[in-house]
Amino acid sequence: MKQEVMLVTGAGQLSMAIARRMGSGKKIILGDLSLDNAKNIAEVMTNAGFDVEAVQMDLSSRESIQNLVKVGQSFGDIKYLVNGAGVSPSQVPVETILKVDLYGTAVLMEEVRKVIVPGGSGVVISSQSGFRMPALTAEQDRALAMTPTEELLDLDFLQPDQIENTLHAYQLAKRANEKRVMYEAVKWGEKGARINDIAPGIIVTPLAIDEFNGIRGDFYKNMFAKSPAGRPGTADEVADVAELLMSERSQYITGSTVLIDGGATASYFYGPLQPTEE
C-alpha cells in the first residue's frame, strides 16, 4: 500500500523532533551523511512506533539527493520535507559550508519540488546567523534567491577572497537559505505545495555543544545569557513551530522565515548584545 512520504535530512535532534511531531502514520525517509547516524536515529524512532527508513545521503551531492528522492518515491507520494542537514562553522572549512549549507540546500528544495504532491509542505532549518550579518545589496539577495543552482557557487561575493572566515560563510549560507525559500515558495506554489524556513537561535544539540566548546564558546554563552529568554532553546520548541508551518493551519503561510531565538537577535540590534566599538 502506498504511503504518504516525509523526507528528512540530517539525523540530528532538530530533525528527529520535527519528524516525531509530524511523522505518525507516514513513511519517513531519513538521510544523513553518516549511515550509522541515520540508522541510530531510525532505531530510536522505530522503537517509538514510527516507520523509518535510513539512507546515506550527502547534501552537497545532487546525485545523492536524487537517490534520496527516488527511495522516497518507492514507498509512495512525497508530501513533506524537513531539511535539518548542515554543518557548523567550527567543524569544516569555508568551501564545505558553502557546498553543503548553501548549494546543497538549494538543490534539495529544487529536486523535491519536482515531485512534491499537491497539499505538500516543507521546512528548511537555517539559523539566526542569517539575520546577524550586514545587509546585502538587492542584487546580491536576488542572486542568492534566483541564480541557477549549478551557478550559485560561482557568484563573485561567494569567492574565498570575499569571505572573512567560516562564520561569515555560514551567515551567507543561511541568508541564502532564507532568500532561496522565498524563490522556491513561488515554484512550489505552482505544484500546490508550500515551503517555509525556520531560523533557530542557540538550540541545545550535539552540534551546539561543539560550538559551546569551540573557539566561539564564550560568544555563544554570552549570547543566550543576554537574550530576553536568558537560555538556549530546545529541539521540541523548534518542532512546535515546524508543526504549525507544515500543518493545514498554515495554508496562507509560504515563503516565510520564522526566527526562533529567544530574542537574541533583538538584543543584538537593540539590547545588551549590541556590538560596541573599541
Side-chain angles (χ1 to χ4, degrees):
M1 183 176 67
K2 292 289 185 180
Q3 299 171 269
E4 286 187 346
V5 176
M6 173 184 288
L7 300 181
V8 180
T9 69
Q13 295 301 311
L14 287 178
S15 294
M16 182 168 66
I18 298 170
R20 287 175 69 105
R21 191 70 60 87
M22 297 297 297
S24 297
K26 302 174 180 65
K27 183 68 179 187
I28 300 169
I29 309 300
L30 177 61
D32 193 89
L33 184 62
S34 166
L35 183 57
D36 286 341
N37 286 346
K39 286 180 175 179
N40 288 339
I41 295 295
E43 181 180 6
V44 170
M45 294 189 66
T46 298
N47 288 337
F50 294 89
D51 184 1
V52 186
E53 186 84 11
V55 179
Q56 195 279 333
M57 188 215 69
D58 179 357
L59 187 60
S60 70
S61 163
R62 183 182 294 272
E63 182 180 3
S64 186
I65 290 169
Q66 289 172 334
N67 179 65
L68 182 79
V69 170
K70 184 177 180 180
V71 172
Q73 287 183 299
S74 71
F75 291 97
D77 292 331
I78 295 175
K79 191 171 182 180
Y80 303 97
L81 169 67
V82 177
N83 179 33
V87 292
S88 155
S90 293
Q91 294 177 319
V92 296
V94 165
E95 293 78 9
T96 303
I97 291 170
L98 296 179
K99 189 70 184 293
V100 175
D101 287 1
L102 194 154
Y103 166 82
T105 299
V107 171
L108 178 67
M109 286 189 281
E110 180 179 79
E111 291 294 335
V112 175
R113 181 229 303 162
K114 296 175 183 177
V115 300
I116 196 76
V117 297
S121 62
V123 290
V124 169
I125 304 299
S126 65
S127 168
Q128 65 175 351
S129 287
F131 290 78
R132 201 63 58 84
M133 63 183 293
L136 299 176
T137 67
E139 292 76 15
Q140 288 172 325
D141 277 341
R142 187 175 180 84
L144 290 176
M146 300 187 69
T147 299
T149 47
E150 294 306 320
E151 299 173 19
L152 267 171
L153 297 182
D154 295 328
L155 291 172
D156 57 356
F157 61 97
L158 296 183
Q159 299 315 299
D161 63 342
Q162 300 295 310
I163 298 177
E164 299 172 10
N165 50 40
T166 56
L167 179 58
H168 184 206
Y170 187 76
Q171 291 173 330
L172 282 165
K174 298 309 176 179
R175 178 71 62 83
N177 295 164
E178 293 152 17
K179 299 302 178 182
R180 203 80 188 184
V181 162
M182 295 179 74
Y183 168 73
E184 283 291 343
V186 178
K187 299 294 187 181
W188 281 49
E190 295 170 0
K191 303 290 290 289
R194 300 178 299 108
I195 187 163
N196 289 288
D197 178 76
I198 299 174
I202 302 171
I203 307 297
V204 178
T205 65
L207 193 69
I209 291 171
D210 281 349
E211 292 292 332
F212 297 161
N213 295 322
I215 58 174
R216 285 179 288 273
D218 290 341
F219 169 81
Y220 286 106
K221 292 171 187 175
N222 179 64
M223 187 189 303
F224 65 71
K226 292 183 178 177
S227 69
R231 62 170 177 85
T234 67
D236 281 340
E237 288 173 309
V238 176
D240 288 338
V241 177
E243 181 181 19
L244 173 63
L245 292 177
M246 296 179 71
S247 74
E248 294 184 357
R249 292 175 292 161
S250 293
Q251 291 300 307
Y252 201 53
I253 304 176
T254 191
S256 295
T257 292
V258 177
L259 178 64
I260 171 173
D261 69 346
T265 300
S267 183
Y268 178 83
F269 285 108
Y270 309 117
L273 279 173
Q274 292 178 83
T276 57
E277 294 186 11
E278 298 180 358

